[in-house]
Amino acid sequence: MRIGILGTGNMATALGGAWVRSGHDVVVGGRDPGAAAATAARVRAAGHGALAEAAAHGEIVLVAVPADAAPDLVRGLAGDLAGRTVIDCTNPVVHGADGPMLVTDGATSVARRMTEAAPGAHVVKAFHLCHASVWTLDPPVFEGEPLAVPYCGDDPAALDRVAALITSMGCAPLPCGGLSRAPYLEATAAFAIGAWFSGAQPRHAFPAPAEAVLVPDGTVPVPSATTAVR
Ligand SMILES: NC(=O)c1ccc[n+]([C@@H]2O[C@H](COP(=O)([O-])OP(=O)(O)OC[C@H]3O[C@@H](n4cnc5c(N)ncnc54)[C@H](OP(=O)(O)O)[C@@H]3O)[C@@H](O)[C@H]2O)c1
């Protein structure tokens, strides 16, 4: 796949490297041409250039900049991003006395703000949950299981493309619904980062489906649209 990366920092380097290893055609774009060239060289990307050049290159475009800069960045590139799959890996969190806190109101998301800023782009929230270092593992496998990568978005073709990208890296796609669920994925990152940084094991809070909802016959009830989930 042709992938453009907007940003030259930790996530651009970690995911760019993983995608090059997985055989993708990656171009790194940055507002600092020297930084774009250096990151591209570090990950052995096919090319580098200005932000608009990377946006125009990708059938998939990763936005790897601070959360508060992402909507304005995609607004400025809206023409280049129209019709493309745009991955939002940002975490709108600040680290406070109580741990990582969302800077959104929790009802909206950076992914939604990016969609509003560039309405022609097909935004998918993905790759935001794990620390950048996880993407340097080849492949990211834990306790014998491939890392599950949660993602959500509204465009079916964009979701299929991101699922294929996740699979190509040796990870397991974990579809989480439409973009209306992006606030939950962003809040999950705040929760998980807080747990990890305190030395806890957040995965222990999530048993396997068959063990999560204990019913006498061992089946997992599927809630209907009118059923409150307890
Ligand atoms: N690091 C992690 O482990 C991790 C994990 C999950 C999610 N994330 C999320 O991924 C995103 C990137 O994180 P990072 O760790 O890669 O950050 P980083 O290393 O600080 O890199 C940020 C990049 O964004 C660029 N940038 C900043 N403001 C910009 C603007 N207004 N327009 C264009 N480019 C701009 C910077 O360019 P300059 O060098 O020119 O300033 C730099 O290339 C953040 O939203 C973060 O929450 C990070």
Side-chain angles (χ1 to χ4, degrees), residues 71-101:
D72 282 345
L73 176 62
V74 300
R75 182 178 291 107
L77 297 170
D80 296 298
L81 295 175
R84 297 177 197 275
T85 298
V86 174
I87 296 177
D88 166 25
C89 75
T90 70
N91 278 325
V93 297
V94 291
H95 295 271
D98 267 351
M101 304 294 289

mmCIF file of all heavy atoms in Angstrom, residues 71-101:
data_model
loop_
_atom_site.group_PDB
_atom_site.id
_atom_site.type_symbol
_atom_site.label_atom_id
_atom_site.label_comp_id
_atom_site.label_asym_id
_atom_site.label_seq_id
_atom_site.Cartn_x
_atom_site.Cartn_y
_atom_site.Cartn_z
ATOM 1 N N PRO A 71 -6.445 18.666 13.844
ATOM 2 C CA PRO A 71 -7.543 19.180 13.011
ATOM 3 C C PRO A 71 -7.099 20.303 12.071
ATOM 4 O O PRO A 71 -7.458 20.305 10.888
ATOM 5 C CB PRO A 71 -8.570 19.654 14.049
ATOM 6 C CG PRO A 71 -8.297 18.807 15.249
ATOM 7 C CD PRO A 71 -6.809 18.654 15.272
ATOM 8 N N ASP A 72 -6.315 21.238 12.578
ATOM 9 C CA ASP A 72 -5.874 22.335 11.711
ATOM 10 C C ASP A 72 -4.952 21.815 10.603
ATOM 11 O O ASP A 72 -4.989 22.305 9.470
ATOM 12 C CB ASP A 72 -5.144 23.406 12.524
ATOM 13 C CG ASP A 72 -6.118 24.292 13.283
ATOM 14 O OD1 ASP A 72 -7.327 24.246 12.955
ATOM 15 O OD2 ASP A 72 -5.681 25.000 14.206
ATOM 16 N N LEU A 73 -4.140 20.823 10.931
ATOM 17 C CA LEU A 73 -3.250 20.267 9.907
ATOM 18 C C LEU A 73 -4.060 19.656 8.762
ATOM 19 O O LEU A 73 -3.789 19.937 7.586
ATOM 20 C CB LEU A 73 -2.336 19.205 10.533
ATOM 21 C CG LEU A 73 -1.416 18.458 9.558
ATOM 22 C CD1 LEU A 73 -0.448 19.423 8.869
ATOM 23 C CD2 LEU A 73 -0.645 17.359 10.275
ATOM 24 N N VAL A 74 -5.061 18.850 9.083
ATOM 25 C CA VAL A 74 -5.829 18.211 8.003
ATOM 26 C C VAL A 74 -6.719 19.228 7.284
ATOM 27 O O VAL A 74 -6.997 19.076 6.098
ATOM 28 C CB VAL A 74 -6.643 16.988 8.486
ATOM 29 C CG1 VAL A 74 -5.728 15.931 9.063
ATOM 30 C CG2 VAL A 74 -7.719 17.355 9.468
ATOM 31 N N ARG A 75 -7.143 20.285 7.994
ATOM 32 C CA ARG A 75 -7.922 21.334 7.323
ATOM 33 C C ARG A 75 -7.079 21.961 6.199
ATOM 34 O O ARG A 75 -7.567 22.162 5.084
ATOM 35 C CB ARG A 75 -8.354 22.412 8.322
ATOM 36 C CG ARG A 75 -9.222 23.511 7.699
ATOM 37 C CD ARG A 75 -9.679 24.533 8.726
ATOM 38 N NE ARG A 75 -10.645 23.973 9.659
ATOM 39 C CZ ARG A 75 -10.410 23.665 10.931
ATOM 40 N NH1 ARG A 75 -9.230 23.896 11.452
ATOM 41 N NH2 ARG A 75 -11.340 23.133 11.686
ATOM 42 N N GLY A 76 -5.830 22.209 6.499
ATOM 43 C CA GLY A 76 -4.950 22.810 5.501
ATOM 44 C C GLY A 76 -4.629 21.877 4.345
ATOM 45 O O GLY A 76 -4.207 22.345 3.281
ATOM 46 N N LEU A 77 -4.820 20.574 4.550
ATOM 47 C CA LEU A 77 -4.498 19.585 3.506
ATOM 48 C C LEU A 77 -5.763 18.921 2.966
ATOM 49 O O LEU A 77 -5.686 17.861 2.327
ATOM 50 C CB LEU A 77 -3.572 18.507 4.089
ATOM 51 C CG LEU A 77 -2.199 18.980 4.569
ATOM 52 C CD1 LEU A 77 -1.493 17.862 5.343
ATOM 53 C CD2 LEU A 77 -1.342 19.439 3.389
ATOM 54 N N ALA A 78 -6.927 19.548 3.225
ATOM 55 C CA ALA A 78 -8.203 18.890 2.918
ATOM 56 C C ALA A 78 -8.292 18.465 1.456
ATOM 57 O O ALA A 78 -8.812 17.387 1.145
ATOM 58 C CB ALA A 78 -9.369 19.799 3.301
ATOM 59 N N GLY A 79 -7.776 19.291 0.567
ATOM 60 C CA GLY A 79 -7.836 18.937 -0.858
ATOM 61 C C GLY A 79 -7.022 17.688 -1.162
ATOM 62 O O GLY A 79 -7.485 16.791 -1.886
ATOM 63 N N ASP A 80 -5.827 17.605 -0.597
ATOM 64 C CA ASP A 80 -4.968 16.433 -0.827
ATOM 65 C C ASP A 80 -5.553 15.171 -0.182
ATOM 66 O O ASP A 80 -5.326 14.060 -0.670
ATOM 67 C CB ASP A 80 -3.568 16.676 -0.236
ATOM 68 C CG ASP A 80 -2.854 17.826 -0.921
ATOM 69 O OD1 ASP A 80 -2.612 17.712 -2.131
ATOM 70 O OD2 ASP A 80 -2.555 18.824 -0.245
ATOM 71 N N LEU A 81 -6.272 15.349 0.915
ATOM 72 C CA LEU A 81 -6.746 14.177 1.681
ATOM 73 C C LEU A 81 -8.106 13.668 1.221
ATOM 74 O O LEU A 81 -8.545 12.595 1.661
ATOM 75 C CB LEU A 81 -6.814 14.538 3.177
ATOM 76 C CG LEU A 81 -5.466 14.844 3.843
ATOM 77 C CD1 LEU A 81 -5.671 15.299 5.288
ATOM 78 C CD2 LEU A 81 -4.551 13.623 3.799
ATOM 79 N N ALA A 82 -8.767 14.392 0.337
ATOM 80 C CA ALA A 82 -10.102 13.985 -0.097
ATOM 81 C C ALA A 82 -10.066 12.581 -0.697
ATOM 82 O O ALA A 82 -9.224 12.283 -1.549
ATOM 83 C CB ALA A 82 -10.652 14.975 -1.113
ATOM 84 N N GLY A 83 -10.945 11.719 -0.211
ATOM 85 C CA GLY A 83 -11.055 10.358 -0.721
ATOM 86 C C GLY A 83 -10.039 9.402 -0.146
ATOM 87 O O GLY A 83 -10.068 8.200 -0.450
ATOM 88 N N ARG A 84 -9.145 9.886 0.698
ATOM 89 C CA ARG A 84 -8.104 9.002 1.240
ATOM 90 C C ARG A 84 -8.490 8.488 2.631
ATOM 91 O O ARG A 84 -9.294 9.090 3.326
ATOM 92 C CB ARG A 84 -6.766 9.754 1.315
ATOM 93 C CG ARG A 84 -6.281 10.158 -0.067
ATOM 94 C CD ARG A 84 -5.001 10.964 -0.016
ATOM 95 N NE ARG A 84 -4.808 11.638 -1.289
ATOM 96 C CZ ARG A 84 -4.226 11.097 -2.353
ATOM 97 N NH1 ARG A 84 -3.752 9.872 -2.288
ATOM 98 N NH2 ARG A 84 -4.100 11.781 -3.474
ATOM 99 N N THR A 85 -7.862 7.389 2.983
ATOM 100 C CA THR A 85 -8.021 6.840 4.332
ATOM 101 C C THR A 85 -7.035 7.562 5.230
ATOM 102 O O THR A 85 -5.818 7.508 5.000
ATOM 103 C CB THR A 85 -7.730 5.329 4.327
ATOM 104 O OG1 THR A 85 -8.680 4.683 3.476
ATOM 105 C CG2 THR A 85 -7.811 4.747 5.721
ATOM 106 N N VAL A 86 -7.545 8.260 6.233
ATOM 107 C CA VAL A 86 -6.689 9.066 7.111
ATOM 108 C C VAL A 86 -6.719 8.453 8.505
ATOM 109 O O VAL A 86 -7.776 8.391 9.146
ATOM 110 C CB VAL A 86 -7.168 10.532 7.144
ATOM 111 C CG1 VAL A 86 -6.371 11.335 8.171
ATOM 112 C CG2 VAL A 86 -7.031 11.153 5.756
ATOM 113 N N ILE A 87 -5.569 7.984 8.954
ATOM 114 C CA ILE A 87 -5.491 7.343 10.277
ATOM 115 C C ILE A 87 -5.134 8.391 11.325
ATOM 116 O O ILE A 87 -4.126 9.094 11.204
ATOM 117 C CB ILE A 87 -4.438 6.214 10.270
ATOM 118 C CG1 ILE A 87 -4.855 5.097 9.301
ATOM 119 C CG2 ILE A 87 -4.271 5.660 11.686
ATOM 120 C CD1 ILE A 87 -3.836 3.980 9.182
ATOM 121 N N ASP A 88 -5.963 8.442 12.356
ATOM 122 C CA ASP A 88 -5.730 9.329 13.501
ATOM 123 C C ASP A 88 -5.192 8.493 14.655
ATOM 124 O O ASP A 88 -5.930 7.708 15.249
ATOM 125 C CB ASP A 88 -7.049 10.008 13.889
ATOM 126 C CG ASP A 88 -6.967 10.677 15.257
ATOM 127 O OD1 ASP A 88 -5.852 11.031 15.681
ATOM 128 O OD2 ASP A 88 -8.028 10.830 15.898
ATOM 129 N N CYS A 89 -3.899 8.670 14.970
ATOM 130 C CA CYS A 89 -3.295 7.918 16.089
ATOM 131 C C CYS A 89 -3.100 8.802 17.312
ATOM 132 O O CYS A 89 -2.374 8.424 18.234
ATOM 133 C CB CYS A 89 -1.959 7.294 15.664
ATOM 134 S SG CYS A 89 -0.596 8.488 15.536
ATOM 135 N N THR A 90 -3.739 9.968 17.326
ATOM 136 C CA THR A 90 -3.446 10.927 18.396
ATOM 137 C C THR A 90 -4.116 10.550 19.715
ATOM 138 O O THR A 90 -5.172 9.923 19.740
ATOM 139 C CB THR A 90 -3.902 12.346 18.014
ATOM 140 O OG1 THR A 90 -5.326 12.403 18.004
ATOM 141 C CG2 THR A 90 -3.354 12.767 16.661
ATOM 142 N N ASN A 91 -3.510 10.998 20.789
ATOM 143 C CA ASN A 91 -4.095 10.845 22.115
ATOM 144 C C ASN A 91 -4.286 12.226 22.724
ATOM 145 O O ASN A 91 -3.301 12.885 23.089
ATOM 146 C CB ASN A 91 -3.185 9.996 23.018
ATOM 147 C CG ASN A 91 -3.377 8.522 22.772
ATOM 148 O OD1 ASN A 91 -4.482 8.076 22.491
ATOM 149 N ND2 ASN A 91 -2.296 7.762 22.854
ATOM 150 N N PRO A 92 -5.548 12.665 22.861
ATOM 151 C CA PRO A 92 -5.796 13.989 23.440
ATOM 152 C C PRO A 92 -5.753 13.943 24.960
ATOM 153 O O PRO A 92 -6.767 14.116 25.637
ATOM 154 C CB PRO A 92 -7.204 14.328 22.917
ATOM 155 C CG PRO A 92 -7.873 13.002 22.785
ATOM 156 C CD PRO A 92 -6.794 12.015 22.421
ATOM 157 N N VAL A 93 -4.563 13.688 25.496
ATOM 158 C CA VAL A 93 -4.424 13.569 26.948
ATOM 159 C C VAL A 93 -3.313 14.486 27.450
ATOM 160 O O VAL A 93 -2.359 14.774 26.739
ATOM 161 C CB VAL A 93 -4.111 12.108 27.381
ATOM 162 C CG1 VAL A 93 -5.248 11.178 27.026
ATOM 163 C CG2 VAL A 93 -2.800 11.619 26.800
ATOM 164 N N VAL A 94 -3.502 14.948 28.672
ATOM 165 C CA VAL A 94 -2.423 15.637 29.386
ATOM 166 C C VAL A 94 -2.182 14.860 30.673
ATOM 167 O O VAL A 94 -3.096 14.196 31.194
ATOM 168 C CB VAL A 94 -2.790 17.104 29.720
ATOM 169 C CG1 VAL A 94 -2.847 17.938 28.460
ATOM 170 C CG2 VAL A 94 -4.084 17.194 30.506
ATOM 171 N N HIS A 95 -0.983 14.935 31.153
ATOM 172 C CA HIS A 95 -0.647 14.170 32.350
ATOM 173 C C HIS A 95 -0.797 15.072 33.576
ATOM 174 O O HIS A 95 -0.048 16.034 33.747
ATOM 175 C CB HIS A 95 0.761 13.586 32.213
ATOM 176 C CG HIS A 95 0.839 12.583 31.110
ATOM 177 N ND1 HIS A 95 0.587 11.242 31.307
ATOM 178 C CD2 HIS A 95 1.055 12.728 29.788
ATOM 179 C CE1 HIS A 95 0.671 10.605 30.147
ATOM 180 N NE2 HIS A 95 0.959 11.488 29.214
ATOM 181 N N GLY A 96 -1.794 14.767 34.405
ATOM 182 C CA GLY A 96 -2.065 15.557 35.594
ATOM 183 C C GLY A 96 -1.781 14.768 36.862
ATOM 184 O O GLY A 96 -1.252 13.652 36.810
ATOM 185 N N ALA A 97 -2.141 15.351 37.990
ATOM 186 C CA ALA A 97 -1.876 14.712 39.281
ATOM 187 C C ALA A 97 -2.584 13.369 39.404
ATOM 188 O O ALA A 97 -2.101 12.453 40.074
ATOM 189 C CB ALA A 97 -2.322 15.648 40.410
ATOM 190 N N ASP A 98 -3.727 13.230 38.722
ATOM 191 C CA ASP A 98 -4.503 11.987 38.772
ATOM 192 C C ASP A 98 -4.134 11.028 37.645
ATOM 193 O O ASP A 98 -4.838 10.047 37.426
ATOM 194 C CB ASP A 98 -6.006 12.307 38.653
ATOM 195 C CG ASP A 98 -6.633 12.460 40.023
ATOM 196 O OD1 ASP A 98 -5.948 12.149 41.012
ATOM 197 O OD2 ASP A 98 -7.797 12.889 40.080
ATOM 198 N N GLY A 99 -3.075 11.341 36.891
ATOM 199 C CA GLY A 99 -2.707 10.526 35.739
ATOM 200 C C GLY A 99 -3.160 11.188 34.456
ATOM 201 O O GLY A 99 -3.535 12.363 34.453
ATOM 202 N N PRO A 100 -3.141 10.432 33.325
ATOM 203 C CA PRO A 100 -3.522 11.029 32.042
ATOM 204 C C PRO A 100 -4.999 11.406 32.019
ATOM 205 O O PRO A 100 -5.844 10.606 32.414
ATOM 206 C CB PRO A 100 -3.226 9.923 31.030
ATOM 207 C CG PRO A 100 -2.653 8.787 31.772
ATOM 208 C CD PRO A 100 -2.773 9.020 33.229
ATOM 209 N N MET A 101 -5.281 12.616 31.576
ATOM 210 C CA MET A 101 -6.658 13.124 31.527
ATOM 211 C C MET A 101 -6.990 13.547 30.095
ATOM 212 O O MET A 101 -6.163 14.157 29.414
ATOM 213 C CB MET A 101 -6.817 14.351 32.439
ATOM 214 C CG MET A 101 -6.409 14.116 33.884
ATOM 215 S SD MET A 101 -7.452 12.930 34.767
ATOM 216 C CE MET A 101 -8.951 13.884 34.953
#
